[in-house]
Amino acid sequence: MKNVKYGKCVKCGKEYPATPDLTTCECGGILDIVYDYAYIKTQLTKEKLAAREDCSMWRYRELLPIEETTENTPLRVGNSPLYEEPRLASELGVKQLWVKDDGQNPTASLKDRASAMAVAKAREAGAKVIACSSTGNAASSLAGNAAAAGLKTYIFVPSRAPKGKVAQLMTFGATVISVEGSYEDTFELSKAAIEKWGWYNRNAAINPYLSEGKKTVSLEIMEQLNWQVPDYLAISVGDGCTIAGVWKGLKDLYAIGFIDKLPRLISAQAEGCCPLNRAISEKKDWYPMEENTLADSIAVGVPRNADKALMAIRESNGIVVNVSDEEIMAAQKLLGRTCGVFGEPAGVTGTAGVKKLCEQGILGKNDTVVSVVTGNGLKDVANAIKACGEPITIPSDMDRLLKAFADKGITVE
């Protein structure tokens, strides 16, 4: 790869050749992919990018760690809409607000970006089988993207994973192992199985290429904003891979001169499982936490990408905000009511964080904000119904309809 120099450990600084099956450093640290920005500047311009017909995440190939000969993966990943939402901005009290609906990816989550990268690198490595552990979205995204590419998958999920996500896995033909225990238990079993059978490892905190796939969401946001940088970018945070990827993409664009400043990150976690935000707030090292939240996709008590995530928050002079399950469910309804965007609990946690920061006066009338919705609400219908309630159920009778409206205080205009 002419655009990539090497992988570098974020802990000890050791460098490794950027082979397709690159994993962690021998010291246990996560690797960061280091690019040759001088070379990239000779290959990519804003004008060249604007002229491309490819609207998938692969339009940014010069900024991705893939060989020139590597084909695009089959599913269309990326090109999710970025909506400007003036009504929601007014209701919250900020100058401008955009919502990036990444739940419109093929398997309905941002994780498709990482899984498409995993499939591309597995092909480069000549692998036939890919495996991972996941709370749900990484699993379904891997199963779908691998199925489209003709690769076999073994997926390990905690038994609490929502049925909608498990249904996706089974439909995509994955071999699914539901593990009785926490996400940490699930991860450890997947790790042992991958080592035993030599499968290609899609686990995001082990495989450094996956954050490079996730970073395409920030590349896309900046291009959709015509390279005008917002003050803040809010994201839901679990194991830390997504926020690390978002920051990497922003730094890449800054390094090649496509943007002239960097936004501050907003790291939103569920207060029932917030080990990374707690570490920032307490100015201490992170330590494990119970997984006590309905936002299953970010319920990670032992984050595997803590180093990169904490670095991203600190480097961006970011803000951390923890939200309750009730605040998450309120944000789910708010996004639906004002924007027509249906996000799952983990997917709307970033927006819940923005709302809370506005209520606290930390964000205000002069601020511009992008909030990323990382997963679609159809992933977890049960909690959506809990948040919004059941429909009016009556016989086909106008008198009963009038009475039901009166009982609920509904005024028909």
Side-chain angles (χ1 to χ4, degrees):
M1 294 179 287
K2 295 179 181 178
N3 61 333
V4 174
K5 291 183 175 180
Y6 43 76
K8 184 177 181 179
C9 179
V10 298
K11 279 189 174 180
C12 72
K14 184 173 180 178
E15 298 173 2
Y16 292 83
T19 57
D21 56 354
L22 198 61
T23 55
T24 53
C25 179
E26 59 187 21
C27 79
I30 304 296
L31 302 186
D32 187 39
I33 303 301
V34 178
Y35 290 88
D36 185 342
Y37 293 121
Y39 172 76
I40 293 170
K41 285 181 180 181
T42 69
Q43 303 298 306
L44 184 64
T45 65
K46 292 179 182 179
E47 294 73 22
K48 184 176 180 180
L49 185 61
R52 283 187 180 156
E53 295 183 359
D54 181 1
C55 291
S56 74
M57 63 178 267
W58 302 113
R59 69 188 278 106
Y60 307 107
R61 291 180 73 96
E62 291 87 350
L63 289 168
L64 296 175
I66 55 172
E67 300 288 352
E68 293 180 4
T69 56
T70 299
E71 296 181 358
N72 289 5
T73 48
L75 298 183
R76 188 278 306 150
V77 176
N79 194 33
S80 63
L82 180 72
Y83 300 119
E84 185 171 2
E85 299 291 353
R87 285 198 302 134
L88 182 55
S90 176
E91 188 164 329
L92 295 182
V94 294
K95 182 179 179 180
Q96 282 181 293
L97 176 69
W98 294 267
V99 173
K100 177 71 165 170
D101 187 6
D102 231 44
Q104 292 197 35
N105 276 306
T107 74
S109 84
L110 185 150
K111 300 291 179 68
D112 278 328
R113 298 175 184 272
S115 291
M117 179 62 70
V119 168
K121 299 308 290 185
R123 281 173 161 177
E124 289 181 5
K128 302 298 182 184
V129 179
I130 313 180
C132 77
S133 62
S134 167
T135 54
N137 281 335
S140 56
S141 72
L142 174 60
N145 280 274
L151 299 176
K152 191 172 183 179
T153 51
Y154 288 85
I155 311 290
F156 297 77
V157 297
S159 55
R160 60 175 163 78
K163 293 185 182 299
K165 297 177 183 180
V166 176
Q168 280 186 298
L169 296 174
M170 305 301 291
T171 301
F172 293 142
T175 299
V176 182
I177 302 92
S178 180
V179 180
E180 297 174 351
S182 66
Y183 176 67
E184 172 68 7
D185 299 325
T186 307
F187 180 90
E188 289 300 330
L189 182 58
S190 77
K191 180 181 176 182
I194 289 168
E195 289 175 355
K196 178 176 179 62
W197 285 293
W199 299 327
Y200 190 82
N201 193 334
R202 186 247 178 258
N203 284 324
I206 299 295
N207 187 328
Y209 294 118
L210 301 203
S211 281
E212 301 298 315
K214 288 185 175 184
K215 82 180 181 187
T216 59
V217 71
S218 56
L219 305 182
E220 216 167 86
I221 289 168
M222 291 301 106
E223 186 179 8
Q224 289 170 320
L225 290 176
N226 196 28
W227 314 111
Q228 300 302 304
V229 181
D231 297 317
Y232 298 92
L233 193 155
I235 194 85
S236 310
V237 175
D239 64 4
C241 296
T242 300
I243 195 169
V246 164
W247 186 238
K248 178 65 177 298
L250 294 167
K251 290 203 299 181
D252 286 348
L253 293 175
Y254 185 78
I256 63 172
F258 275 35
I259 57 176
D260 58 8
K261 65 176 183 178
L262 293 165
R264 296 178 67 184
L265 299 180
I266 294 173
S267 170
Q269 290 202 284
E271 64 182 23
C273 191
C274 55
L276 295 176
N277 283 1
R278 181 177 61 183
I280 295 290
S281 298
E282 295 180 351
K283 297 180 180 180
K284 296 179 180 178
D285 292 337
W286 73 271
Y287 50 96
M289 192 170 183
E290 289 186 10
E291 298 168 358
N292 185 22
T293 174
L294 59 79
D296 64 279
S297 290
I298 55 170
V300 182
V302 182
R304 293 288 174 173
N305 212 341
D307 291 333
K308 280 189 182 181
L310 294 173
M311 191 180 304
I313 298 167
R314 289 170 177 143
E315 283 184 0
S316 75
N317 189 26
I319 300 174
V320 297
V321 56
N322 300 325
V323 288
S324 66
D325 283 356
E326 291 73 23
E327 288 168 324
I328 290 170
M329 294 169 80
Q332 186 179 42
K333 291 175 65 177
L334 178 65
L335 274 169
R337 175 174 59 81
T338 62
C339 309
V341 172
F342 186 21
E344 66 170 319
V348 306
T349 299
T351 304
V354 170
K355 182 175 183 290
K356 188 167 187 174
L357 292 173
C358 289
E359 292 168 348
Q360 294 174 342
I362 295 172
L363 300 182
K365 62 181 180 180
N366 296 319
D367 293 319
T368 58
V369 186
V370 171
S371 183
V372 182
V373 176
T374 56
N376 190 276
L378 291 175
K379 295 273 192 174
D380 189 355
V381 175
N383 276 312
I385 292 172
K386 287 180 183 177
C388 299
E390 298 285 349
I392 296 170
T393 303
I394 56 170
S396 179
D397 183 292
M398 178 55 76
D399 290 337
R400 295 290 293 271
L401 178 61
L402 294 172
K403 184 178 185 305
F405 279 4
D407 290 345
K408 289 184 171 291
I410 297 173
T411 301
V412 180
E413 298 178 358

